[in-house]
């Protein structure tokens, strides 16, 4: 069984004071817990990364970005390179989140290029896949996830360089989740897809994301092939995010 990773995607939330308070609270809890049974990753919005990094220094919490550009530098106004994230102390970066795929029209090919840039900068790429409600209703969940995954994996992907997050689009921020049986089937399919492409695929961490909260975390984290959670809304509340970690057993 893989060690669980609980990742918080703060999205576009958190001014300096809130970010510092939330990160400081979690850092104190993580440090105070001695040897927590789970890894915890904070992915604040880009302007807060430096501040959060300084706040959690020495706590054992990991720091990540929410996106990166595929190029290491250049004329890309408003974008952030993987190297810049690494320079700020990030060890991870989320790529291919459905909000990026939808809001910015990101394709699997672009996600793979971003993931490759992440690996090139020494970061771990947290690659998101997941079906829309229409695709789910059409019975296409496994096809969509398999296709997105195959198309989004960068060359050189291995258990130490990539994490996969299965996030059904219809479950994000809606309070709805798939059944634990459905989560198990999709995670198993993702594991199988990885097996054909990555040596040691059983060690790749596959996170579930989509309306994870303290009340459903234990049952979701107990599903086979679920190696942690990518958490949006509940990661903004220290008590809730911490409770999700504690549910890892
Ligand atoms: C997310 O956006 O990655 C996410 C899982 O959001 P939420 O937990 O709010 O559904």
């Amino acid at each position: 069984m893989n060690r669980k990773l609980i990742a918080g995607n703060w999205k576009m939330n958190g001014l300096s004071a809130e970010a510092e308070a939330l990160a400081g609270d979690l850092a104190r809890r993580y440090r105070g817990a001695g040897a927590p049974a789970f890894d915890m990753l904070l992915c604040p919005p880009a302007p807060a990364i430096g501040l959060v990094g300084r706040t959690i220094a020495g706590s054992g919490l990991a720091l990540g970005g929410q996106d990166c550009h595929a190029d290491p530098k250049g004329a890309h106004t408003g974008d952030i390179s993987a190297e810049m994230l690494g320079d700020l102390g990030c060890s991870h970066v989320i790529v291919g989140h459905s909000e990026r795929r939808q809001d910015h029209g990101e394709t699997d090919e672009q996600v793979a290029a971003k993931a490759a840039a992440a690996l090139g900068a020494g970061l771990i790429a947290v690659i998101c896949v997941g079906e829309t409600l229409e695709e789910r209703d059409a019975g296409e969940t496994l096809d969509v996830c398999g296709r997105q995954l195959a198309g989004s994996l960068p060359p050189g992907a291995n258990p130490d360089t990539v994490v996969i997050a299965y996030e059904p689009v219809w479950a994000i921020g809606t309070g709805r989740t798939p059944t634990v049986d459905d989560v198990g089937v999709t995670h198993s399919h993702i594991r199988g897809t990885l097996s054909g492409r990555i040596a040691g695929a059983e060690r790749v961490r596959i996170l579930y994301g989509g309306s994870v909260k303290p009340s459903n975390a234990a049952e979701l984290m107990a599903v086979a092939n679920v190696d942690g959670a990518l958490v949006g809304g509940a990661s903004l509340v220290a008590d809730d995010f911490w409770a999700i970690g504690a549910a890892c057993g």
Side-chain angles (χ1 to χ4, degrees), residues 1 12 14 30-31 41-43 56 73 85 96 106 145 162 173 179 181 189 195 203 205 213 219 227-228:
M1 203 170 58
M12 198 171 71
Y30 200 80
R31 201 187 288 111
L41 165 68
L42 307 185
C43 299
I56 65 174
K73 61 179 174 182
L85 295 173
E106 290 185 6
C145 292
V162 296
T179 65
D181 287 348
H189 183 73
S195 297
R203 285 202 302 112
R205 294 202 276 196
K213 39 190 189 268
E219 63 174 8
D227 303 311

Side-chain angles (χ1 to χ4, degrees), residues 50-155:
L51 172 63
V52 170
R54 289 189 293 280
T55 305
I56 65 174
S59 68
L61 292 181
L63 184 66
Q66 297 177 10
D67 179 50
C68 67
H69 197 277
D71 289 345
K73 61 179 174 182
H76 303 292
T77 302
D79 280 314
I80 298 166
S81 74
E83 263 110 343
M84 290 171 181
L85 295 173
D87 191 41
L88 287 173
C90 290
S91 52
H92 292 67
V93 59
I94 299 169
V95 293
H97 190 282
S98 63
E99 288 156 13
R100 301 275 331 163
R101 291 179 186 264
Q102 285 183 338
D103 297 356
H104 301 270
E106 290 185 6
T107 63
D108 291 339
E109 200 178 10
Q110 288 168 321
V111 175
K114 288 177 178 220
L119 270 53
L123 302 183
I124 296 169
V126 181
I127 301 170
C128 302
V129 300
E131 82 285 1
T132 64
L133 189 57
E134 294 70 34
E135 290 164 339
R136 172 192 177 240
D137 289 346
E140 295 169 359
T141 297
L142 300 184
D143 283 351
V144 168
C145 292
R147 191 177 63 237
Q148 286 183 346
L149 181 59
S152 303
L153 278 177

Side-chain angles (χ1 to χ4, degrees), residues 9 11 97-99 167 171-175 209-212 230-234:
N9 173 14
K11 310 192 186 189
H97 190 282
S98 63
E99 288 156 13
E167 299 208 302
I172 294 179
T174 60
S211 295
V212 178
L230 181 54
V231 186

